[in-house]
Amino acid sequence: MSSLVETPAALTDPLVLAGLDHWRTLPIKQQPNWPDPAAVAAASAELATLPPLVFAGEVDQLRERLASAAAGHGFLLQGGDCAETFADATADRIRNRVKTVLQMAVVLTYGASLPVIKVGRMAGQFAKPRSSDTETRGDVTLPAYRGDIVNGYDFTPESRQADPARLVRGYHTAASTLNLIRAFTQGGFADLREVHSWNRGFAENPANARYEGMAREIDRAVRFMEACGANFDEIKGVEFYASHEALLMDYERPLTRIDSRTGTPYDVSAHLLWVGERTRDIDGAHIDFLSRVRNPLGVKLGPSTTPDDVFRLIDKLDPEREPGRLTFITRMGAGRIREALPPLLEAVKAEGSTPLWVTDPMHGNGITTPTGYKTRRFDDVVDEVKGFFEAHRAAGTHPGGIHVELTGDDVTECLGGSEMIDEATLATRYESLCDPRLNHMQSLELAFLVAEELRK
Ligand code: PEP
Ligand code: MN
C-alpha cells in the first residue's frame, strides 16, 4: 500500500500543488455561509493533518474495475443514503445498508453473470446541495439544512448556524463507518457462503422469498464447486468502495494529498467522487478541483444536458481519455429519458470516448404529496431504468450501472413496490432528512428487475 503524505514540495511539481487551490479564484456554488472564517481555517488545518480515509492503491484498483465495466465487462452498483447523518452512523444501520448492497450485488452477479462493482454512498455523504439558501416555516426564515457536516436539521437559529466543528466530526464519522464497512466486507461476513445470512433480520416479504430461492441455488453451486476442489477461502472478502458528492470544498481540499509513489494528488476522503447536477458548471470551482485529482469521477447529467456540455466535461475531466476515469450518471426522469439520453449516447459514441454510463433513476423522479412528503413512485424508478436499458440497446452502448438512494431499513419513503406503500402509509416510517430512499424490499425488487434487463 502506498503512503499518502504531503511530500516536500520539491518532489512535486509546484504547478500541481498550486493548481489544487485554483478553484478558490473561480465561481463556486452551494457552499455554506460559515460565520467565522478563522474557525473554518482551523478545522481545515486539522483535517489536513489527519490520516487518509482511503488509499491511492485502492483508488487505482477501483479505476481499473470501472474501466473494465466501461468496456462492457462489469456493472457498477452504487447505493446508500441521500444524506448520511451522524446519528444514524450506528452498527445496525451501517450493517443493514451493506447487507442490502451485497444482496443486490449477488442478485445482479448471479442473474446477469457480470462482475458487479460495489460502491456505497457511504462514509462521507454528509453535504447536500439545496434549491434555496433558506427555509421558511410560518413566519420564521432560517438557513437551509445543508447536511450534518455543515449544520443541524432542527429548525432553530442555533442548530441551523453553520458550524465548522462539524467538518472534523464528519471526518471521524466517515472513519468509523469505513472501519465497520471494511470489517464486514473483509472479515468473513461477505463470504459467498454467507449468502443466506445477509437476508436474516429483514422483514419477510416476496422479494426476500425470491432472494432465498436464489440463495439456495447459489449455495448448491458453491458446495458443488467446493466438492470439485475450488478454494472459497480465497474469496472470503469482497471489494467495497466508498463514494460521496464532492460538494464541500472545505472538506475535500484538506483531504487531498500527494501520493508518494507518483507525486500526483488524490482526494483521500473517498474512492470515487461525483459532482452533482447543480455544481457541474464547466468553468466553476468544483469541476476545476476535481479535474486535478486522480480519483475516478462521476458527473450527474440532468435532462437538459447537451452533447456539447458532455464534450466539454470529457475534455476537462478526462483529457487523456483514460478508461475508468469518467462515469456519467444520468438522472433524466422517467418521462424524459427516452428522448434525452439517446442523443448523448450517439454523440459520445461518434466522438470515440467510452465513459461508463450509469442510471440514477431517483433524482429525476421526485414529487411532493399534498400532505407535504417528498417522495418518488417506485413505478417511475423502474420506468427510468427500463428507458436507460432501451436507450443503450438502441445505441449499442453498455448500460454500465445503477446509482440509487436506499436504506436497509424498513422505511416508507417511496410509493409503490409490491408492499404497495401509498400516500397514507408514507407517514408511518418516513425517516429521511433529505430525499426519499428505497427500502430494503424495494431495493431487492429493483435488483431483480435490473438483472432481467441485463440478461435481455
Ligand atoms: C444526490 O445525489 O443526492 C443529488 C443531489 O443528486 P443530483 O445532483 O443529481 O440532483
Ligand atoms: Mn438525493
Side-chain angles (χ1 to χ4, degrees):
M1 198 119 325
S2 67
S3 64
L4 271 154
V5 288
E6 292 272 5
T7 50
L11 297 182
T12 303
D13 185 343
L15 284 178
V16 169
L17 285 178
L20 289 175
D21 288 305
H22 184 61
W23 62 271
R24 296 182 195 278
T25 66
L26 301 174
I28 187 161
K29 289 185 177 158
Q30 297 284 348
Q31 303 305 291
N33 232 330
W34 300 112
D36 176 359
V40 185
S44 281
E46 185 175 350
L47 286 178
T49 65
L50 293 169
L53 292 171
V54 303
F55 302 96
E58 299 169 343
V59 172
D60 292 343
Q61 191 174 52
L62 173 60
R63 195 183 325 95
E64 282 165 29
R65 302 284 184 263
L66 295 169
S68 164
H73 310 304
F75 192 79
L76 171 65
L77 170 62
Q78 192 178 10
D81 278 325
C82 177
E84 290 179 289
T85 62
F86 296 161
D88 275 351
T90 63
D92 279 352
R93 302 243 174 187
I94 295 165
R95 189 187 49 227
N96 280 351
R97 231 169 305 144
V98 170
K99 274 169 41 172
T100 304
V101 172
L102 289 177
Q103 285 188 296
M104 292 176 78
V106 97
V107 167
L108 289 166
T109 314
Y110 191 70
S113 305
L114 263 185
V116 173
I117 307 159
K118 295 162 271 295
V119 179
R121 275 177 71 114
M122 292 177 80
Q125 179 51 24
F126 294 122
K128 297 309 299 174
R130 303 316 307 247
S131 43
S132 165
D133 280 343
T134 56
E135 181 183 344
T136 301
R137 294 190 195 171
D139 50 14
V140 182
T141 297
L142 293 174
Y145 171 63
R146 289 190 169 276
D148 272 14
I149 199 163
V150 173
N151 58 0
Y153 186 75
D154 284 350
F155 196 69
T156 64
E158 301 73 37
S159 138
R160 287 294 170 97
Q161 169 95 283
D163 174 5
R166 287 175 172 269
L167 289 164
V168 178
R169 185 158 173 213
Y171 168 91
H172 289 296
T173 308
S176 56
T177 301
L178 208 47
N179 185 52
L180 200 57
I181 292 175
R182 289 188 194 277
F184 282 144
T185 55
Q186 300 302 322
F189 178 72
D191 189 321
L192 204 48
R193 290 167 295 189
E194 296 292 319
V195 66
H196 285 289
S197 71
W198 306 339
N199 208 17
R200 242 169 259 143
F202 291 127
E204 274 181 39
N205 58 51
N208 284 40
R210 194 169 168 195
Y211 176 86
E212 271 302 315
M214 177 180 271
R216 274 194 297 276
E217 284 176 36
I218 293 172
D219 232 15
R220 255 202 313 276
V222 167
R223 273 189 269 121
F224 168 71
M225 293 296 291
E226 270 185 321
C228 295
N231 185 356
F232 281 86
D233 286 335
E234 279 177 6
I235 48 167
K236 269 173 85 163
V238 297
E239 288 174 22
F240 196 106
Y241 298 97
S243 70
H244 62 258
E245 177 174 350
L247 182 71
L248 191 58
M249 295 307 299
D250 295 310
Y251 186 71
E252 305 304 336
R253 173 60 188 99
L255 286 171
T256 296
R257 311 288 166 79
I258 303 297
D259 173 21
S260 58
R261 301 170 309 171
T262 56
T264 52
Y266 285 70
D267 183 340
V268 294
S269 70
H271 301 102
L272 182 150
L273 283 316
W274 78 85
V275 58
E277 168 73 357
R278 280 168 263 207
T279 50
R280 63 169 174 76
D281 311 15
I282 193 74
D283 297 317
H286 290 88
I287 291 290
D288 184 84
F289 176 73
L290 288 175
S291 74
R292 297 168 191 272
V293 298
R294 282 289 289 139
N295 306 61
L297 304 175
V299 183
K300 295 279 201 98
L301 300 178
S304 57
T305 311
T306 64
D308 192 52
D309 295 335
V310 172
F311 290 143
R312 282 151 58 101
L313 286 164
I314 294 175
D315 281 343
K316 177 91 186 169
L317 297 175
D318 185 21
E320 317 275 338
R321 309 292 193 266
E322 184 185 18
R325 163 71 168 171
L326 194 53
T327 295
F328 285 124
I329 307 165
T330 63
R331 28 89 84 220
M332 306 287 185
R336 302 285 301 278
I337 185 159
R338 288 172 179 82
E339 69 192 76
L341 182 56
L344 304 184
L345 298 182
E346 292 296 347
V348 171
K349 192 172 82 168
E351 196 255 5
S353 289
T354 51
L356 181 66
W357 291 100
V358 169
T359 177
D360 163 0
M362 317 294 294
H363 288 91
N365 294 311
I367 52 172
T368 304
T369 64
T371 43
Y373 283 101
K374 266 174 101 175
T375 185
R376 293 157 175 155
R377 288 191 193 88
F378 187 69
D379 285 352
D380 291 340
V381 170
V382 166
D383 193 31
E384 178 150 3
V385 168
K386 289 191 165 162
F388 172 77
F389 278 94
E390 282 165 32
H392 280 282
R393 273 195 288 269
T397 43
H398 178 55
I402 183 161
H403 178 119
V404 276
E405 290 182 343
L406 58 78
T407 167
D409 303 314
D410 244 336
V411 300
T412 55
E413 298 174 5
C414 291
L415 295 167
S418 46
E419 273 167 334
M420 307 285 272
I421 294 172
D422 58 19
E423 286 186 23
T425 318
L426 283 183
T428 54
R429 277 201 74 183
Y430 194 104
E431 297 179 1
S432 176
L433 300 189
C434 216
D435 290 336
R437 302 158 297 178
L438 300 177
N439 63 22
H440 177 257
M441 166 167 170
Q442 291 166 330
S443 304
L444 273 189
E445 281 182 36
L446 188 65
F448 279 112
L449 179 116
V450 171
E452 273 165 32
E453 289 291 331
L454 277 168
R455 266 202 306 266
K456 275 188 190 164

